[in-house]
Amino acid sequence: MNEPQRARRPGGRSARVGAQVHQAVTELVSERGYGNFTVGEVAARAEVADSSIYRRWGSLESLLTDVALTRLNTQSPMPDTGSLDGDLRTYAAQVAREITGPDGPAVLHLAVALSGSGRQGLEAGNALRAERTRQLESMLDRARERGEHSPDALDVLDHVLAPMYIRVLFGMGPLTPDYVDGLVDRLLQDRQAPFG
Amino acid sequence: MNEPQRARRPGGRSARVGAQVHQAVTELVSERGYGNFTVGEVAARAEVADSSIYRRWGSLESLLTDVALTRLNTQSPMPDTGSLDGDLRTYAAQVAREITGPDGPAVLHLAVALSGSGRQGLEAGNALRAERTRQLESMLDRARERGEHSPDALDVLDHVLAPMYIRVLFGMGPLTPDYVDGLVDRLLQDRQAPFG
């Protein structure tokens, strides 16, 4: 269906369409999981025309990425506590809260599903991670500028984020504060030891 | 469609149906990804009746789990090299090879998708992991019986398997032997240090 002709009011209308579409995607992901709905169903739920979605986002994959990134950035801005230890603990606790929240698992499944859904999805998934990695690297760079010995972003991924992601993806119970802090302890401790 | 009546030859026919159905699932998962096909499509591809699949596996979820477990157990039996170090390195290298192989990512996406697909999928995913965890624990128990100081199965999951899984799930390049060995080094090194 085509969108009916109407006078353009870019500010209000565009923001409203954006919010409705984001809300519709979040609901559909949490009800059905990623990949089990179409642009048409998002459009119907959001009460906008399919063409509005294609014009603005181009594809379901980039819409899903936009939704996931927006959620991450509004719910979990990167911390800046003044110390690496504080930043990492705050960040790890935020991620834990986010991925175990009401629709956290859905967002995580989405990120994973994107990577498994062909080239377009892979690119969308890469864009999603690139932005988050850039933010994490800024945090680690600030620590280096203060003279702190900082791990690489990939070490944070491997030993703090990956264990939490996998436990949530596999439905393996809650991420307790002790567990999350233990992952950071281990990373900070390893940082001081030489590796072969 | 109902399966035509015919004389039962449980051994040969049952094994043949099993192999055809497993092959059909593996192909469909690698072509379309998990969740994008039905029992009917598996049956058509395998040239068996839908009812044969339901009678034997009960649901698509438990069929998918059976296929994934069979693959794991035939392609990657748990190593028994006589030392924890040898066992862990062999195991990690096997897992890396398996999840980066031709349809490894599909199997990994399947395991993740199962957990995200409601109660039946979650149970199937749990069954899949429970069997693999049992095998891993036997390996670690053997090390303890030899007097070696052995990590927990969950530490192996968090610091060796999870980083590899996430890198493959996110499409983040190859798992080099150096990278995989580095994960084991780190785990074995940590094992000797006390944690808070």
Side-chain angles (χ1 to χ4, degrees):
Chain A
M1 266 199 335
N2 287 320
E3 196 175 13
Q5 288 297 110
R6 64 179 78 175
R8 295 208 158 206
R9 285 174 296 139
R13 175 169 156 69
S14 164
R16 182 168 56 75
V17 167
Q20 284 166 207
V21 169
H22 275 227
Q23 179 62 28
V25 168
T26 302
E27 288 173 15
L28 286 165
V29 167
S30 91
E31 284 167 26
R32 306 195 198 166
Y34 168 85
N36 296 318
F37 55 87
T38 62
V39 166
E41 288 170 310
V42 174
R45 174 83 57 120
E47 300 181 345
V48 304
D50 293 19
S51 57
S52 300
I53 294 182
Y54 284 113
R55 199 163 50 234
R56 181 143 159 190
W57 285 279
S59 71
L60 184 58
E61 283 78 11
S62 58
L63 168 58
L64 291 169
T65 307
D66 181 33
V67 172
L69 253 186
T70 304
R71 289 174 49 80
L72 281 175
N73 291 333
T74 52
Q75 295 185 358
S76 301
M78 296 301 279
D80 187 4
T81 65
S83 79
L84 176 65
D85 188 278
D87 281 359
L88 278 174
R89 281 179 210 286
T90 307
Y91 175 58
Q94 269 179 5
V95 172
R97 203 163 45 236
E98 176 186 288
I99 62 182
T100 56
D103 38 22
V107 171
L108 203 49
H109 276 275
L110 184 155
V112 167
L114 277 176
S115 306
S117 65
R119 198 177 60 81
Q120 205 168 25
L122 197 61
E123 281 168 11
N126 286 343
L128 175 59
R129 285 191 308 283
E131 170 60 18
R132 231 19 207 175
T133 303
R134 198 191 55 69
Q135 295 174 2
L136 176 58
E137 279 171 351
S138 305
M139 188 178 95
L140 300 172
D141 282 344
R142 283 199 304 274
R144 281 185 206 104
E145 283 159 20
R146 287 189 302 260
E148 295 191 80
H149 182 179
S150 185
D152 289 339
L154 283 174
D155 289 330
V156 177
L157 174 69
D158 281 346
H159 297 286
V160 178
L161 303 181
M164 296 198 289
Y165 288 169
I166 285 296
R167 287 186 175 221
V168 170
L169 285 171
F170 284 177
M172 294 175 65
L175 303 175
T176 65
D178 278 356
Y179 170 74
V180 175
D181 261 337
L183 294 174
V184 175
D185 287 341
R186 195 158 180 149
L187 179 71
L188 292 177
Q189 197 162 357
D190 284 343
R191 195 172 42 112
Q192 285 139 15
F195 289 114
Chain B
M1 269 202 331
N2 287 321
E3 194 176 14
Q5 287 296 109
R6 64 179 77 178
R8 296 208 159 206
R9 286 174 295 140
R13 176 171 154 70
S14 165
R16 183 168 54 76
V17 166
Q20 286 167 205
V21 169
H22 275 227
Q23 180 62 28
V25 168
T26 302
E27 288 173 14
L28 286 165
V29 167
S30 90
E31 286 167 24
R32 307 195 197 165
Y34 168 86
N36 296 317
F37 55 87
T38 62
V39 166
E41 288 170 309
V42 174
R45 173 84 57 122
E47 299 182 345
V48 303
D50 293 18
S51 56
S52 300
I53 293 181
Y54 284 113
R55 199 163 49 234
R56 182 142 160 190
W57 286 278
S59 70
L60 184 58
E61 281 78 10
S62 57
L63 168 58
L64 291 169
T65 307
D66 182 33
V67 172
L69 253 186
T70 304
R71 289 174 49 80
L72 280 175
N73 291 334
T74 51
Q75 296 185 356
S76 301
M78 296 300 280
D80 187 3
T81 64
S83 79
L84 175 65
D85 188 278
D87 282 359
L88 278 175
R89 281 178 209 287
T90 307
Y91 175 59
Q94 268 178 5
V95 172
R97 204 164 43 236
E98 175 187 289
I99 63 181
T100 56
D103 37 22
V107 171
L108 203 49
H109 277 275
L110 185 155
V112 167
L114 277 175
S115 307
S117 64
R119 199 177 60 81
Q120 206 169 23
L122 197 61
E123 281 168 10
N126 286 344
L128 175 58
R129 284 191 309 281
E131 170 60 17
R132 229 20 205 175
T133 303
R134 198 191 56 68
Q135 295 175 2
L136 177 58
E137 278 170 352
S138 306
M139 188 178 94
L140 300 173
D141 282 344
R142 284 199 304 275
R144 280 184 208 103
E145 282 159 20
R146 288 189 302 260
E148 295 191 80
H149 182 180
S150 186
D152 290 339
L154 283 175
D155 290 329
V156 178
L157 173 69
D158 281 346
H159 296 287
V160 179
L161 302 180
M164 295 198 290
Y165 289 168
I166 284 296
R167 286 187 177 221
V168 170
L169 285 170
F170 284 177
M172 293 174 67
L175 303 175
T176 66
D178 278 358
Y179 170 73
V180 175
D181 261 337
L183 294 173
V184 175
D185 287 341
R186 195 158 178 149
L187 179 71
L188 292 176
Q189 196 161 358
D190 285 343
R191 195 174 40 113
Q192 285 140 13
F195 290 113

